Amino acid sequence: MAFLAGKIVLAVEAGAPNNGAGDTTTGRVKKTRIRGRYYPYVSAQAFRRWLRDTMTAAGSVPSPTERVGKAQGKAQKVTTNADPIRYVDDDLFGYMKATAKSTDEATTVRDTPFMVGTFLAVEPAQLTEDFGVMSRNIPEPVLHSHEFYTADLAAPFLFDIPRVGTFTLPGPSGSGRPNYLDEKTALGFAAAAQAGATTQTFRGHTAVRLPLASRRERVAVLVEALAELAGGAKKALHYGDRVPALLAVVPMAGGVNPLGFVIDGAEDGTGLQVRGDVLRKELAAWQGEWEPPVLVGWRPGFRDVLRKRFEADLAEEIAAGQVVIDHPRTVLLALAARVRDGQHDAWFDDPAR
């Protein structure tokens, strides 16, 4: 297997974890209108920021960022150090470092091995506008307000494991640019870091690749960050736990995610649904393309009725060890430990066809 495909549910209770542009003195949450009703969401950019910050809190050194370009409101850019060999987040989350023509440097691009969708509410949510006032020791109070909501938000993700620590080099026609590194620079960085990178062929392109131990560690670091995820806006007023309330992960041979309709919103807009029968049919359709077990992390107390029904529907698969259900933190930390110990080394190369 080469990909980890998954679906994550975040439970937001009276929260405003990701906000859009404000309206005069009112803070607005991010939301989209679907068939005439509002669905709040958390952007993929925000979620990835939470992951980066969680990794940093656990000891990972983040890539330095630099703002370049013209004044606010005009052409402007921000870039990281664009060194995926030295910095784990540059490797896992990708970047684009576009330089000014005057510097005579090539634009460096890396697309992300870790892909995640928008965390969209599984049902319409009634947004609440909270009125506030600042009147402490001032003669004229300052009025303000902001939105918040309660909803379950769900998003898919796909983790391209062989791409971690692997950087293709541009060919004569420019092919390979999505994971581009200049070979001389890449090998120079690796030598400086004593990383022991080697040059080999990867998906039809020449690539610089870090040693397997380094790649194991990087995958484990991201999985552990998912297990202890923290972040979000307005924590002073709307603190909320961001550890996934529910997640499912399945190793796949190709970049297909079979979990999209297993965990989603009901068609009648009545909330979250987790369907064991759909999972069984998806796994049958992709027989030979997935590796058991399907890992399901389900926090105790979250949608207990749904959980009982899901476990009853998949009783045979659970008994056979094809589906494993436990706390999300337990599932993810155990997975990270197995990756770090080398038990899933086959995931780091594309399967033979």
Side-chain angles (χ1 to χ4, degrees):
M1 301 300 118
F3 294 83
L4 286 180
K7 196 79 179 276
I8 299 177
V9 175
L10 303 177
V12 176
E13 183 175 353
N18 190 207
N19 297 297
D23 178 14
T24 60
T25 60
T26 301
R28 303 292 184 187
V29 298
K30 288 185 177 179
K31 54 186 176 293
T32 186
R33 191 176 176 89
I34 302 174
R35 292 184 288 275
R37 305 183 72 179
Y38 284 110
Y39 291 70
Y41 69 89
V42 168
S43 70
Q45 179 186 20
F47 181 80
R48 285 157 59 90
R49 170 64 184 272
W50 300 353
L51 267 179
R52 284 178 187 261
D53 289 348
T54 303
M55 289 165 53
T56 299
S60 179
V61 178
S63 181
T65 55
E66 178 186 8
R67 186 182 185 279
V68 295
K70 299 179 181 180
Q72 190 74 25
K74 298 184 179 180
Q76 52 190 307
K77 304 167 186 175
V78 64
T79 181
T80 67
N81 206 52
D83 182 353
I85 292 179
R86 183 174 303 172
Y87 298 106
V88 175
D89 58 336
D90 272 345
D91 181 7
L92 297 176
F93 299 112
Y95 53 79
M96 182 179 74
K97 186 174 185 180
T99 57
K101 293 182 179 180
S102 59
T103 64
D104 196 29
E105 294 180 15
T107 295
T108 305
V109 179
R110 174 166 175 75
D111 60 354
T112 176
F114 181 76
M115 296 153 272
V116 64
T118 298
F119 282 81
L120 183 66
V122 298
E123 62 181 325
Q126 181 66 45
L127 304 178
T128 298
E129 188 168 313
D130 182 57
F131 174 79
V133 58
M134 171 56 180
S135 59
R136 189 172 62 250
N137 300 323
I138 56 175
E140 186 174 349
V142 175
L143 307 181
H144 58 88
S145 61
H146 69 276
E147 293 178 332
F148 68 88
Y149 61 88
T150 295
D152 295 329
L153 313 179
F157 71 86
L158 189 68
F159 198 4
D160 189 347
I161 303 296
R163 281 270 318 286
V164 175
T166 304
F167 317 106
T168 56
L169 307 177
S173 63
S175 60
R177 286 190 67 85
N179 312 301
Y180 166 85
L181 272 183
D182 172 79
E183 183 173 11
K184 180 179 178 181
T185 303
L187 292 176
F189 281 152
Q194 296 183 345
T198 58
T199 303
Q200 56 187 266
T201 300
F202 178 75
R203 295 179 181 172
H205 302 285
T206 302
V208 172
R209 203 168 209 194
L210 294 178
L212 179 57
S214 298
R215 290 182 277 137
R216 285 185 199 135
E217 182 63 24
R218 293 184 173 195
V219 171
V221 164
L222 187 142
V223 172
E224 288 171 341
L226 284 172
E228 300 185 352
L229 187 67
K234 290 194 178 296
K235 288 187 285 188
L237 299 177
H238 294 291
Y239 165 74
D241 187 357
R242 300 296 168 238
V243 172
L246 171 66
L247 66 88
V249 182
V250 58
M252 297 290 296
V256 173
N257 192 328
L259 302 172
F261 298 113
V262 176
I263 301 172
D264 65 356
E267 291 183 1
D268 59 4
T270 55
L272 182 69
Q273 58 180 3
V274 188
R275 296 182 288 180
D277 60 327
V278 174
L279 177 59
R280 180 183 297 111
K281 292 174 183 177
E282 285 283 2
L283 295 180
W286 295 101
Q287 186 64 40
E289 296 293 312
W290 65 281
E291 177 184 306
V294 179
L295 301 175
V296 178
W298 201 314
R299 297 190 74 173
F302 178 73
R303 306 292 181 260
D304 284 337
V305 173
L306 281 178
R307 177 168 181 165
K308 290 178 180 178
R309 185 183 310 149
F310 182 77
E311 291 177 342
D313 289 344
L314 292 173
E316 183 177 333
E317 287 80 0
I318 293 171
Q322 291 186 317
V323 176
V324 173
I325 305 178
D326 207 333
H327 193 287
R329 186 173 187 271
T330 303
V331 165
L332 290 168
L333 291 183
L335 174 59
R338 292 194 300 273
V339 169
R340 190 176 275 116
D341 290 344
Q343 296 181 42
H344 295 305
D345 282 356
W347 294 356
F348 288 85
D349 290 296
D350 290 325
R353 295 288 187 177

